Each structure stands twice: as structure tokens, then as C-alpha cells.
């Protein structure tokens, strides 16, 4: 609506309502809302508000630059606001709201400017380009040319916005004084990295023009790395290629600048020519390619990276041509292993490039034993070996690049089943007779033999006998105790089982009547020294009572934490079924003393009795000594002191100040000593007086509060109140305390009125008195002149009244005194409370305050206003697209509110929205509703008091649409099929699926499922029968839409009849047939060893030969999948011996095993003959279980099948071990060595003696250690022994057959040597000038300990200038040390050499200062053990 008379009428009605609603308003008008400067984007709407409150009729008009506005885009609203739609450049001006007093013609004006937003596309960026080095600081500066309103600035790198981080700092500032307003921004990146390189730009955005940011020219920044020599980060790897194919090597490097790469072959530079090519992408990498590889290309290839800093060369990488030899490097041989153990068949493939893949066959069929595993070296390991694992094994080597297979000769594997012994273990009494029965567990003929625990055959004599697997021992002795071995030997080999014989005897004690002394709290083990036996029972008794806990497995009694109750006699009773023995052990428990004085702190008043009690414990009972300030008491200077209760209590009958000090009680017994201290303080209690104790003053006067105190020591006077412990801590300049204790408060105020406490205190106690101060004050009232409240609020009129005595307060309304009642309440604090204030409550309110000194009053005017209220502030209106929507808004308030409508900040109605109008009752009407009208609309009700807003949501319903994401879906049968569609509409439609006329999923489609929102139908799995057309249906309240999806299901190949294995003979014709189906129809092939034989369903062999034996594979494939089946073709042929028996040379009684393998189909039968006679052994291994002289001869292997017979032979020779040498002497050499001499063995057993083995052990130990010497040597020195130890020595001879029995044992003892370092070198007590030291003995001692040498000097002194003392105990004291000086102390121990000299060991070190131990330096001086004559002690400083 334009300006004119209509505006004046509306304003007149508005002013009249305001005038009637506010009779008490001022006669002068005022701008409630004055127009303010605004900035808008060109083309948007600008609005100036102008609300004027007056008690007279007014009219409002507007001027532009002093001229009345007249433009169809300009409209003056009913509330006086000026709205400019579709702003243009010409609209930028000053606009004035002119208010005219209709009665008098007077005017009031208020102006504001309209400016249009803009942003200059002008930048200054510095620098425009720059090159930096990694680690430098990158700094960029940008100035934007101007913007209204102020622009914001961002930085981008290659288009990506940068934000501040640990390395990136973005700063923003405004350039004040510029017009238009300019802004600047700085960017700092520190330290710069190579990935910071790129183009940086400055982007400025005007907040009113967000869609039109302006961007500066780019600053091109390059960050290069710190110059670095090249480094090969990825070296070329070795390549194996097939002749005629391609070989490739790759290489990567780093460096600054980026290195250039070249290639070398066998040390020479490689150039691009013919079959050689390599890439050079300038990123430090390169790929070398060699086409049509030939033998001349074999060799070492290297890449070289170079830049201006240096160069680097990769390790060489080899190019090899694939090949495989014909001969196995290690052929598997016949092997025998014990049942349940792991059998290893060794195999090393022919030389192969690349390494051949190893597999194994058993009886010419691939090994399928789950316990079998091919080891990395190609050998076959079979765990938990069983008899079913026996057979012929072949090692198969396959070169994957050449597709060539090699097979080794066969090897026989035998399973040895151990015999069983009954019983397997036995415990019997000494002198009994025992029998063990050994039974063969294998059906194969076996020879049983018995051996003792020294692995020697059991003799047949009056004590032991063996016959038919039985071992009998008569009159068993302790020497018969141990393991016995039964060995079963057959043609497969020998296998053993052990039985344990335990001989029981009555217990025998080594010691008796043992006495032990220990300290309470320590752990102790009471020994029961008995000869070890099985089934021993140990029982301990203490003072006649049985001990139930702590008995160890060894029989000893362990007491982990000794207490006094453990003191006494213990008896160990050990027994078994054959007898018993007992041992007496006495335990003496000592307890170090403790001492505790109570009380530890005595605050005594002069003249009181003081008693100090020293409570002590300890075993034996400790003695007690008292001291006062370091002097023992009682003495002649303390005649009044008394000791009572055996010195436990010290009594001072009348304490004086002369008794102040430290009292100490010292308790001592042979185990140690203890001290306890107590402090005695003696004081005189303070006394305090104050006069007067009550003071009353007028505010502003000075108060004097006096306080006098006495006591010893002189008490300290402080003044306090209920809230402050020391009044001087307030820092109030009006308050001070004189030295005589008087408190002064100048210029007193009401807050000073309280009780003041004078406190006198010393170490003995506290005394206090109180002074009360009263301040008088005339009444004073404060009240705001005017108070304004909204109607309905609760009003509190606070009357601030001061005075002392506190004044009484009264309230008056317009001169009439008020009292509490109804909506009016006078609170206890004097405030007037008015509930639910109304306009009728407006008026003048007076508060009067009165006390004994007088009275005072103050008045305030109460004004009541009513803000607008909307009857229904929110709601949702549903309408269908194309219909009319009506939004109602009803509001009330005082003054009467004005109603306007807005949508998204746009004032309605608006020319841009022709379908939107407002009725005379302020309802909003939208015709022909569209989906875009589904918005939130706001109703604004305002008056001079305030405004409120109502929000109304318009919801528009729209017909749905639907679309399939994929019209045709193809999947493989068995896989998941997903059919998807999307639906749109308002409200959001629901989605369902149909196949034909039926909805899915349903009871007949259990594999179908839909997503939560229905948009996805899944078939899991999809079947061929599921092919067809599916319909997706979208439905909402506005209607329905649908679309279709077609599903196609593919089928992989499947065998009609699965091919099976075939057995035939050489020379016949053969057809291999394979039938399959699938969709699409599959392609069928026959293969062998990866080579295609036929691309049809039938493969024909005109004449079958043994080379045709093997595995054939039929494969069928189509684009969907692959089906494959293997068959084995077995061709029969005559036998051939593949590995005949080899001549054997074995030790006496050792098994000799001949092996023989043969190939043929069917598998040939192998039998054996000896010296022309047939043997019972059948199979590929002949086992001569225990070779003797009668076993020597020729053995023949016979292999036969239905086709023919073949033989092979070998001989057997038996050897013996040598006889024992004679040990003639064992001699001491040094502290760590002894020497032995012997005579050679009388017989070498038929084989040259290869070495002598010298064994030695610490005398008393069971286990020997050994050294070996050349057979030509008849003496040896044993080194590395421990000093001062006796050793047993024996010697044995060794030949290729085995070891002889041992010689007789001789003994020798090593010499003494220097001991190790003393342990736990420590300070036990100290002062600043003296220290007491202790240490533990060295371990090991290496001999008989002699004296200790203690050396000391100021730290830094040369080693030869140290002072020394010598002691024979494990403690020493140094005194007369200098305070503050660091001393270095060295301690070493000695043993006595063969000639009486002292053998000193290494030093233990301690650093000391002021009697305290200091840490040792990082590098500690070390001292080698030395030998020197004993010397006389020297002293300096004084030692004890």
C-alpha cells in the first residue's frame, strides 16, 4: 500500500488506541523503534521500521534524500514501516521517517541510510611465486580491495580450503580507515614440507553475497627437499624366466633432486637396444623389460640412481632361465621307525630353477595320510607312525614354469612295533627275587635281548639270567636298581622298551642331634638327612606334638616366618615299609630388641610430675639406658630423677624449664639394639584481661579496645572476630593494633559492630577475653523513582533502609498506608510484594523507615504494561496440491497489537507471491497450493511493549512416482539377487513387490526377503526357477505408481556322469569320455599335467603304454564357472629292481638292514636268500637283528610278479669296539686345570682308534663332562675348572665302531685362586665425619679366605696414593673424615696361595660424602685380581 491519507488514518487509529490505553503516559512523544542503517543485497527487499509512541494523534510519512517517496516498489505498512522490494542501485540513499502531530502540526524525524552490498574483485597477494626448502617458513600476505559489509577471507591450496593446525597459522585483520572497508589475511606454514607445494589463492566472501565469492590470482609455491644423495628404496628382485618369454625388473629410489635411474648388466652399463627397454618417469623409479629371453641374458642386473649430490647402486638381482635336472640330489632310502614316532623320508630334488615343488606317492598313489607333511627341504615326515603307513614311497619333483615332473626311485618304509614288558616298573625290598617278561608285539619274527642301564647285555650267571624273553634277578641289591632294556630285532630293524626296577631299603640317617639358631621373622629349614629312598614317609614332632604343615618333599621342615613360639626341640621320624629312623633338631629363636617411649612428646606445665615409660621387647631380655640431651641420666646434676620398674620408667617429680630437651631410651641384647626418643617441653600458661568489655559509639567515631596479657614465654596477642582469625589480615587502613595490645578502629561504620576477641598464646596454651562494640546510625531509605512491570507479573518493591538500631518500615499507596492481605504482602525484610499485578495497581508507593534516632522515606511510581499474546501460537495445516489454504492468527495485548505475516524473512503479501493474500481479519490465504508452498509461515503480533510470533506449518500431499535402479538383473544360480527401486512423493510412499499377480515374499518363496523400507527385494539364493518379471509398486494417500525388473539366472557346468578310474595293460586302445551340461553351454577339455590333450568330450589313446599311467583331468567351463574331475589310469608291466641292496659294515650286536625296491604292475613280491638258502623274510627290508661273525656272507634280493623275476645281492661285514685304555696318573696344574696321562687300548676292535675321550666331574657329582683328543695323544690338560675343587677323571677309547668301557677313576684337586668381589659392601651407620662398614663373603670364595684390604682416598686420587687397612672380619670403621668431601672406598678379599702369598680378588666400590652413600660414576674403575705378599696396615684417617 502506498503513502497518503490512508496512512494517516491508520496511524490515527493506532495513536488513539495507545492514548486510551495509556492515560498516564507523558504528553511528549518518543520513537519506540527508530529506523536504523541497513545493508542489503541488490534485488532483495529492504525494510525500515518506525514506531512512535505519543499521547496525541499522529501521521507517519517517509522521505528519500529529503523528498517524499513515490515509487511503486516502495510501500508504507500499516505499522508505519517502509518496505522497498527488488532493491536497485538507485535505492541507495538516506531515508527519513517523518511523524506529524495532527493537532499541532509539529513534526519529529529519524533518518537511516540504505546501502547495497558489494565486494571488489581486487586483490594484492605477496609473493606471487616462491621456491623454498623443506623446513623453511612459508609466509603469504593477501589484501582484499573492499567489501560492504566486511568480507571474510580464506586460503586455498590447489582448491582445498586451509585451516589452522600445528603447522598452519591463518591470521585475519581489518584495515581500519579504508573506504570501502578492506581486510587482510596472512598465511604461515612452518616447517614447510614438500606436499605444501602448489597454487595458493585468497578467497573473499561477502556474507550477504555468499554465492558470489571472489578469488585472487594464484601464488605458485614450490617446496623442494633438503638436498639428499640417492637412496635405493626398492631394489630389483631376482627373476626366473622361460626361454623366449619376457623378464621384468623394477627399481625405486628417493633423493633431492629426484635421481635419474640407469641399469647395469654384469657390471657394464645397459643401453636401450633390441629386446632391452626400460622406463624413466622422472619420479625416481624405473622398470627394465627384456623381451624374448635368451641364454645370453643370464647374469646379474643392477639399477643405479644418480643426482647432483651423489649416486647409489642396488644389490645385484639375478636373471635365471628355468630348468630342471634328471637326477635327484638325495634319493629317499628304505627307512624303519618306531610305531607312534615320526618317520622321515629324505629327498632333495634334482637341480631346478625355480625350486621344484615336492610331493610324494605311497605305492604309486599320492600320499593322503593326514599325519604326513612335506618338510621345507622336501623330506616327508609322518607323525604318529602306524603299521598301515608301510609301503613304497616315491619323491615327486615338479617345475611349475616348465610343467615338467621327475620321480625318484622308490623307498620302503617299515613300522617297528616295540615289545611289551610286564611289569613295566616294580618296587621290591632288598634281597627279593624279581622277574620281568618281554613279549614281541609284531607278527613278524623277532629276536628278544636284554640290556642293563649301562646299555651292556645282561649276563647269565647265578645273580641274573635271561631266557625266552624272561629277565630274572635273584637276591636283589641296591646296585641292581635302574632301567632294563628289552630289544626286539627283525628284518625291519630293532626296537626297544624299558622297565624300571626300584629297590627299597630301610631309611638311614646321615646326622643326628642338630642345633640351629635363627632370628625371629626369618625363614629356616630344619634338615632331616636321610639316604634317598622311594615311598619314604616323613613326620615331624615339636615338643611331642605332630607338625601338620611345612614338611617338604625332601623331608625337611620349612618354617617360612619364624616366631618365638617356634623355639624348642623338633623330632623328624622317617619310615617306610622296611623300617624307620629319627633325628633330633633343636631350634633356638632370638628376637632383636624394640623400644618405644610413651608419650613421645610431653608439653608440661612448670612444677608438674613427668613420667616417661620405655616399653621394650626382645630375646634375651634387653637392658635399658636413659639419656637426656646426649648425657646419661640420672646423674649428679639430676638428683630428683628416679628410675623405677627395673629402669623401664624415668620419673621427674617437679619439672622445670631446665628439664627441657630430648630424652632417649636405648634397649640392647646380643641380637641388636633399638632406640626411642621423647621431647619434653616446659611452659607457663598465659593470662589476659580487657577493660571496658562493652563500648557504644556513633558511626564515624574512633573505638579503642584495650587488652593486657602475661605469661612465659611472653604470649603473642591477636584480635579476632567470628569470621576473621586475625583482624589485621583484612588490610583495612582504619584498623591497627598497638604494641601494648590495644585495638584501634577509626571512622567506625555499622559493619564494625560485633564482638572482638583478644587472644594471648604461647607454646603452653591460649587465654582470651571478649570486648563488645555497638555502632549507632540514623535511618536512610533508598527507592527507585519509577518501576515498570508487565501485567500478570509478581512485583517486588524493595525498600533499602539502613540504620542502627535497625529501623521499622511502613508502605503507603497514593498516601494510604498498606497492610499485608490479599495480593499485597509486606515481607519480613520490608519489601512490598504484589501478586499478579494489574493496571489498577499503578500509582505512587512510599516506604518510611523509623528507629530511635529518627525517620526517613522515599517514593516510586509503578507503571503496568501488557505485551501481545497470540491465541493459538502454532499448528499444522494439511492441504492437497491445487487447493486453497487459510491460516488464521488472533492476538491481543496493551497497546493493541499490530499483526503482520512473514515467510522466511519475507514480509507478506509480496508481489513475487501473487497467490498469497491477507484478509481484513489478518488471515493468510494461499490459492492453488503447490508443493513449493509446504513451508513454515510466521504471524508477528507487536505493540509498544513487545512482540510475539506464531508458527504455522503447511503440509502439501503429492502423487507418488517410482523408478527401478536396474531394469535387467543377471546372477549366477546359488548367488544372491538384489532387485531395487526408488519411490518419491509426499508423504513418502510405501513400496511393495509382486511377481505376476502375487505379492512377494509369500509362503511359497522362503528365499525372498525385502529391506526395511521395501525398496530392495533379495533372493538368497537365486534359482533357475526364479527367472521372470517382478513389479515394484509405490503407494501413498495420493495414489499408486509401478515399474518392472526382469531377472535372468545363469547355471555353471555340472557333470552328467562323473569320470572314474581305469586299469588296463600295455598295448590296448582306450577312450576317455566326459559328459556335462550348463547355461551357457560349457566347453569340455581333457588335460594331463596341465597340458590340454583334447578339446572335446572324448580323448583316445591308440596304444596304451606304461608312460600313459597317471592322473587325467576333465574340465568343463563357461563364463559362469568351472567343473573338474580327476581319474587315474593304471597300466600293468613286468618288475624291475629300482634300488638293490648295498654292502654293509656294522658293529657287533648291531642290526644290519638290507633294503631292496622294485617297480612293476602289479607290485612285485620281494623275498630274500642267504648263501643260496631262502629266508623267511618277505618285503623290501632284511633285518639281521644282532650281527655276529656267523652273520657274515652274501644276501640276495628276489623280486617277482606274474610277468617275471629279477635278483640283486650284497655282502655283510661285522666290526668291534676297542678295549679300555689304562689311566696312569692325574696331576694338578693350576687353579683351573689338571692333566691326565694314560696307556693305549690293548685292542682296537678291528677299526683304527680315532680319539680318546677324557671325562671329568666334581667329586661326589653323578654327571661327567668330556673332552676329546687325537688318537696319537696319550695325555690331556683339562682347563676351565673351578679353583680349589676335587675332580674325578676317567678315559675311554673311540673307534668308528663305538666307545670302549671306561678306565679306572683317578682324582686331583685344583689350586686356590683369587676370590670374587665381596658382596653387599654397605654403610651400616655414619656421621658427617665417620662411617661404619660391613660386607658379606665373596661367592665363590675359590679357596680358604684370608684377610680383607680396605682402601680409601678423596675421589680423584691416583690408585697408588690410596690409604689401606687390613681386617680379618667382615666390618670396619673409618673416622676423622672431612665433612663435605667425596671419598672413594675400595674393598677386596684374598685367599692364601701355595707359597703363602695373598691372592686378591676384584674391588667392591662405595662413594661417600658426609657419611651418606652416593651413586657410583657411570664408568666404574675396575681392579684385576692380584697376587702380592701381605703388608702391614696403614692408617689415615683414624680407623676402628
Amino acid at each position: 500500500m502506498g503513502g497518503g491519507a490512508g496512512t494517516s488514518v491508520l496511524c490515527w487509529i493506532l495513536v488513539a488506541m495507545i492514548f486510551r490505553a495509556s492515560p498516564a503516559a507523558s504528553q511528549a512523544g518518543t520513537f519506540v523503534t527508530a529506523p536504523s542503517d541497513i545493508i542489503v543485497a541488490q534485488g532483495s527487499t529492504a525494510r525500515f521500521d518506525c514506531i512512535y509512541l505519543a499521547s496525541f494523534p499522529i501521521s507517519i510519512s517517509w522521505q528519500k534524500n529529503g523528498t517524499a517517496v513515490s515509487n511503486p516498489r516502495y510501500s508504507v505498512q500499516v505499522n508505519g514501516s517502509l518496505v522497498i522490494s527488488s532493491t536497485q542501485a538507485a535505492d541507495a540513499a538516506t531515508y527519513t521517517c517523518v511523524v506529524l502531530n495532527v493537532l499541532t502540526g509539529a513534526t519529529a524525524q529519524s533518518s537511516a541510510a540504505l546501502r547495497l552490498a558489494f565486494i571488489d574483485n581486487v586483490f594484492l597477494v605477496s609473493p606471487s611465486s616462491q621456491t623454498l626448502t623443506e623446513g623453511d617458513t612459508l609466509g603469504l600476505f593477501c589484501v582484499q580491495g573492499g567489501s560492504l559489509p566486511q568480507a571474510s577471507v580464506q586460503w586455498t591450496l590447489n582448491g582445498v580450503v586451509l585451516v589452522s593446525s600445528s603447522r598452519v597459522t591463518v591470521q585475519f585483520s581489518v584495515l581500519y580507515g579504508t573506504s570501502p572497508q578492506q581486510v587482510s589475511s596472512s598465511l604461515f606454514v612452518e616447517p614447510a614440507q614438500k606436499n605444501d607445494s602448489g597454487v595458493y589463492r585468497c578467497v573473499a566472501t561477502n556474507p550477504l553475497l555468499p554465492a558470489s565469492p571472489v578469488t585472487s590470482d594464484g601464488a605458485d609455491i614450490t617446496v623442494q627437499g633438503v638436498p639428499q644423495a640417492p637412496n635405493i628404496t626398492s631394489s630389483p628382485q631376482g627373476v626366473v624366466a622361460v626361454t623366449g618369454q619376457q623378464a621384468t625388473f623394477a627399481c625405486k629410489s628417493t633423493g633431492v633432486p629426484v635421481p635419474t635411474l640407469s641399469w647395469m648388466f654384469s657390471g657394464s652399463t645397459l643401453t636401450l637396444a633390441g629386446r632391452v627397454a626400460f622406463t624413466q618417469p622422472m619420479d625416481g623409479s624405473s622398470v627394465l623389460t627384456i623381451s624374448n629371453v635368451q641364454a645370453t641374458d643370464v647374469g646379474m642386473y643392477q639399477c643405479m640412481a644418480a643426482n647432483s649430490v651423489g649416486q647409489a647402486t642396488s644389490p645385484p638381482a639375478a636373471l635365471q632361465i628355468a630348468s630342471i635336472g634328471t637326477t635327484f640330489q638325495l634319493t629317499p632310502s628304505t627307512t624303519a621307525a618306531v610305531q607312534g614316532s615320526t618317520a622321515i623320508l629324505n629327498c632333495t630334488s634334482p637341480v631346478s630353477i625355480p625350486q621344484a615343488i615336492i610331493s610324494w606317492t605311497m605305492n604309486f598313489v599320492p600320499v593322503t595320510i593326514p599325519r604326513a607333511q612335506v618338510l621345507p627341504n622336501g623330506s616327508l615326515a609322518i607323525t604318529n607312525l602306524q603299521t598301515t603307513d608301510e609301503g613304497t614311497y616315491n619323491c615327486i619333483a615338479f617345475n611349475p614354469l616348465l610343467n615338467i615332473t621327475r620321480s625318484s626311485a622308490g623307498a620302503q618304509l617299515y613300522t617297528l612295533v616295540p615289545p611289551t614288558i610286564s611289569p613295566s616298573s616294580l618296587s621290591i625290598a632288598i634281597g627279593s627275587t624279581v622277574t620281568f617278561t618281554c613279549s614281541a608285539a609284531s607278527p613278524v619274527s623277532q629276536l628278544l635281548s636284554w640290556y642293563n642301564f649301562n646299555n651292556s647285555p645282561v649276563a647269565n650267571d647265578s645273580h641274573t639270567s635271561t631266557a625266552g624273553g624272561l629277565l630274572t634277578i635273584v637276591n636283589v641289591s641296591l646296585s641292581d636298581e635302574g632301567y632294563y632294556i628289552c630289544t626286539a630285532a627283525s628284518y625291519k630293524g630293532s626296537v626297544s622298551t624299558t622297565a624300571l626296577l626300584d629297590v627299597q631299603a630301610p631309611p638311614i640317617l646321615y646326622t643326628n642331634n642338630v642345633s640351629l639358631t635363627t632370628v625371629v621373622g626369618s625363614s629356616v629349614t630344619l634338615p632331616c638327612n636321610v639316604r634317598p629312598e622311594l615311598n619314604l614317609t616323613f613326620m615331624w614332632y615339636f615338643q611331642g606334638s605332630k607338625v601338620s604343615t611345612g614338611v617338604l618333599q625332601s623331608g625337611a621342615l620349612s618354617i617360612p616366618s619364624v616366631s618365638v613360639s617356634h623355639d624348642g626341640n623338633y623330632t623328624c621320624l622317617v619310615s617306610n615299609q622296611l623300617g624307620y629312623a629319627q633325628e633330633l633338631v633343636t631350634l633356638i629363636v632370638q628376637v632383636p630388641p624394640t623400644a618405644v617411649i610413651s608419650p613421645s612428646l610431653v608439653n608440661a606445665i612448670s612444677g608438674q610430675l613427668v613420667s616417661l615409660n620405655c616399653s621394650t621387647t626382645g630375646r634375651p631380655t634387653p637392658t635399658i639406658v636413659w639419656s637426656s640431651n646426649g648425657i646419661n641420666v640420672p646423674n649428679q646434676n639430676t638428683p630428683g630423677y628416679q628410675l623405677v620398674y627395673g629402669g623401664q620408667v624415668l620419673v621427674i617429680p617437679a619439672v622445670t624449664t631446665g628439664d627441657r630437651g630430648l630424652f632417649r631410651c636405648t634397649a640392647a641384647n646380643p641380637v641388636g639394639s633399638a632406640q626411642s626418643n621423647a621431647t619434653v617441653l616446659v611452659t607457663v600458661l598465659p593470662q589476659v584481661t580487657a577493660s571496658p568489655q562493652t563500648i557504644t559509639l556513633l558511626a564515624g567515631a574512633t573505638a579503642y579496645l584495650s587488652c593486657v596479657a602475661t605469661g612465659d614465654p611472653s604470649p603473642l596477642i591477636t584480635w579476632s572476630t567470628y569470621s576473621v582469625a586475625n583482624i589485621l589480615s583484612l588490610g583495612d587502613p582504619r584498623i591497627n593494633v598497638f604494641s601494648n595490645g590495644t585495638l584501634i578502629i577509626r571512622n567506625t561504620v555499622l559493619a564494625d559492630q560485633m564482638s572482638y576477641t583478644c587472644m594471648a598464646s604461647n607454646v603452653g596454651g591460649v587465654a582470651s577475653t571478649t570486648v563488645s562494640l555497638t555502632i549507632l546510625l540514623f535511618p536512610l531509605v533508598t527507592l527507585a523513582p519509577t518501576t515498570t512491570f508487565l501485567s500478570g507479573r509478581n512485583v517486588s518493591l524493595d525498600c533499602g533502609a539502613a540504620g542502627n538500631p535497625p529501623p521499622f518500615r511502613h508502605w503507603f499507596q497514593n498516601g494510604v498506608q498498606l497492610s499485608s492481605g490479599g495480593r499485597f504482602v509486606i515481607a519480613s525484610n520490608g519489601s512490598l510484594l504484589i501478586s499478579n499485578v494489574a493496571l489498577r495497581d499503578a500509582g505512587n508507593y512510599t516506604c518510611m523507615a523509623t528507629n530511635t534516632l529518627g525517620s526517613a522515606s522515599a517514593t516510586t511510581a509503578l507503571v503496568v504494561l501488557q505485551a501481545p499474546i497470540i491465541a493459538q501460537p502454532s499448528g499444522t495445516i494439511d492441504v492437497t496440491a491445487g487447493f486453497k489454504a487459510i491460516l488464521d492468527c488472533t492476538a491481543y495485548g496493551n497497546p493493541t497489537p499490530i499483526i503482520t505475516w512473514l515467510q522466511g524473512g519475507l514480509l507478506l503479501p509480496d508481489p513475487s507471491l501473487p497467490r498469497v493474500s491477507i484478509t481484513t481479519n489478518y488471515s493468510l490465504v494461499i490459492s492453488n497450493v503447490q508443493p513449493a508452498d509446504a513451508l513454515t509461515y510466521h504471524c508477528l503480533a507487536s505493540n509498544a511493549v513487545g512482540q510475539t510470533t506464531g508458527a504455522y506449518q503447511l503440509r502439501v500431499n503429492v502423487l507418488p512416482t517410482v523408478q527401478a535402479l536396474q531394469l535387467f538383473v543377471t546372477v549366477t544360480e546359488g548367488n544372491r539377487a538384489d532387485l531395487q527401486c526408488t519411490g518419491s512423493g509426499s508423504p513418502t510412499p510405501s513400496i511393495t513387490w509382486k511377481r505376476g499377480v502375487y505379492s512377494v515374499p509369500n509362503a511359497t518363496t522362503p528365499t525372498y526377503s525385502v529391506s526395511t523400507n521395501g525398496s530392495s527385494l533379495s533372493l538368497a539364493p537365486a534359482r533357475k526357477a526364479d527367472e521372470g518379471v517382478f513389479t515394484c509398486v509405490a503407494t501413498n494417500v495420493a495414489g499408486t505408481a509401478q515399474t518392472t525388473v526382469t531377472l535372468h539366472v545363469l547355471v555353471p557346468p555340472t557333470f552328467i556322469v562323473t569320470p572314474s578310474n581305469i586299469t588296463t595293460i600295455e598295448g590296448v586302445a582306450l577312450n576317455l569320455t566326459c559328459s556335462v551340461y550348463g547355461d551357457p553351454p560349457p566347453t569340455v577339455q581333457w588335460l594331463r599335467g596341465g597340458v590340454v590333450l583334447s578339446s572335446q568330450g572324448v580323448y583316445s589313446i591308440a596304444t596304451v603304454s606304461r608312460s600313459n599311467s597317471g592322473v587325467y583331468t576333465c574340465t568343463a567351463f563357461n563364463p559362469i564357472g568351472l567343473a573338474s574331475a580327476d581319474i587315474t589310469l593304471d597300466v600293468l608291466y613286468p618288475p624291475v629292481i629300482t634300488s638293490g641292496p648295498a654292502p654293509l659294515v656294522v658293529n657287533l650286536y648291531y642290526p644290519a638292514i638290507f633294503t631292496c625296491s622294485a617297480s612293476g604292475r602289479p607290485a612285485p613280491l620281494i623275498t630274500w636268500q642267504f648263501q643260496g638258502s631262502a629266508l623267511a623274510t618277505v618285503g623290501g627290508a632284511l633285518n639281521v637283528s644282532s650281527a655276529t661273525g656267523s652273520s657274515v656272507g652274501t644276501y640276495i634280493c628276489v623280486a617277482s610278479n606274474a610277468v617275471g623275476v629279477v635278483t640283486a645281492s650284497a655282502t655283510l661285514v661285522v666290526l668291534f669296539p676297542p678295549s679300555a685304555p689304562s689311566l696312569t696318573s692325574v696331576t694338578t696344574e693350576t687353579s683351573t686345570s689338571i692333566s691326565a696321562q694314560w696307556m693305549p687300548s690293548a685292542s682296537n676292535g678291528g677299526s683304527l682308534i680315532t680319539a680318546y675321550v677324557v671325562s671329568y666331574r666334581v667329586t661326589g657329582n653323578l654327571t661327567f663332562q668330556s673332552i676329546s683328543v687325537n688318537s696319537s695323544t696319550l695325555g690331556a690338560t683339562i682347563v676351565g675348572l673351578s679353583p680349589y675343587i676335587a675332580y674325578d677323571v676317567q678315559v675311554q677309547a673311540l673307534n668308528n665302531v663305538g666307545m670302549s668301557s671306561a678306565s679306572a677313576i683317578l682324582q686331583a684337586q685344583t689350586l686356590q685362586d683369587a676370590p670374587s668381589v665381596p658382596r653387599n659392601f654397605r654403610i651400616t651407620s655414619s656421621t658427617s665425619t665417620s662411617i661404619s662398614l660391613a660386607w658379606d663373603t665373596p661367592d665363590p670364595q675359590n679357596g680358604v679366605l684370608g684377610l680383607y684390604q680396605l682402601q680409601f682416598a678423596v675421589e680423584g686420587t691416583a690408585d697408588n696414593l690410596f690409604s689401606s687397612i687390613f681386617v680379618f672380619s667382615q666390618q670396619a670403621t673409618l673416622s676423622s673424615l672431612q665433612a663435605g668431601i667425596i671419598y672413594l672406598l675400595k674393598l677386596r678379599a684374598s685367599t692364601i696361595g701355595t707359597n703363602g702369598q695373598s691372592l686378591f680378588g676384584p674391588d667392591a666400590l662405595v662413594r661417600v660424602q658426609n657419611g651418606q652413600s652416593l651413586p657410583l660414576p657411570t664408568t666404574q674403575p675396575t681392579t684385576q685380581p692380584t697376587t702380592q705378599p701381605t703388608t702391614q696396615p696403614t692408617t689415615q684417617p683414624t680407623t676402628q
Side-chain angles (χ1 to χ4, degrees), residues 552-572:
L552 304 179
Q553 187 174 1
S554 64
L557 177 62
S558 174
I559 305 177
S561 180
V562 175
S563 65
V564 175
S565 62
H566 293 121
D567 187 281
N569 293 323
Y570 293 77
T571 301
C572 172

Side-chain angles (χ1 to χ4, degrees), residues 476-503:
V476 170
S477 66
L478 289 174
S479 61
D480 296 321
E481 194 172 57
Y483 286 95
Y484 290 84
I485 304 167
C486 176
T487 299
S490 70
Y491 73 89
K492 294 182 180 180
S494 297
V495 61
S496 300
T497 302
T498 61
L500 175 63
L501 176 60
D502 174 49
V503 180

Side-chain angles (χ1 to χ4, degrees), residues 814-836:
N814 297 324
V816 178
Q817 185 171 355
L818 295 173
S819 61
S820 293
R823 294 185 299 108
F824 290 79
V825 175
I826 299 176
S828 58
N829 64 356
S831 297
L832 175 62
L833 307 179
I834 308 174
S835 302
N836 193 20

Side-chain angles (χ1 to χ4, degrees), residues 867-874 886-893 896-901 919-924 938-942 948-952:
I869 298 175
I870 295 178
Q872 185 176 351
S874 63
I886 301 176
L887 285 69
D888 295 323
C889 180
T890 302
Y892 62 90
T896 301
I898 299 172
I899 296 177
T900 55
W901 284 89
T919 65
T920 55
N921 64 349
Y922 295 100
S923 294
L924 180 68
H938 292 88
C939 166
L940 175 66
S942 60
T948 186
T949 303
Y952 305 91

Side-chain angles (χ1 to χ4, degrees), residues 119 123 125 140-144 151-157 159-164 168-173 183-187 199-206 210 213-217:
I119 184 169
F123 286 91
V125 178
L140 293 173
F141 179 73
C142 165
V143 179
Q144 192 273 327
S152 62
V153 179
Q154 291 178 311
W155 286 89
T156 64
L157 170 57
V160 178
V161 175
L162 297 175
V163 296
S164 293
V168 178
T169 302
V170 179
Q171 297 178 341
F172 177 84
S173 61
V183 293
S184 67
S185 180
S186 300
L187 171 68
V199 177
Y200 290 77
R201 299 183 188 275
C202 191
V203 180
T205 304
N206 186 309
V214 292
T215 305
S216 72
D217 293 337

Side-chain angles (χ1 to χ4, degrees), residues 239-248 275 290-295 297-298 319-323 353-354 399-404:
V239 175
V240 178
V242 177
T243 300
Q245 294 185 358
Q246 177 179 289
T248 301
R275 297 178 293 104
I290 303 172
S291 304
N292 188 20
V293 171
Q294 303 298 319
D297 299 324
V298 173
L319 172 60
Q320 299 173 288
I321 293 181
S323 63
I353 303 175
N399 186 309
L401 286 184
L402 298 177
N403 198 24
I404 295 176

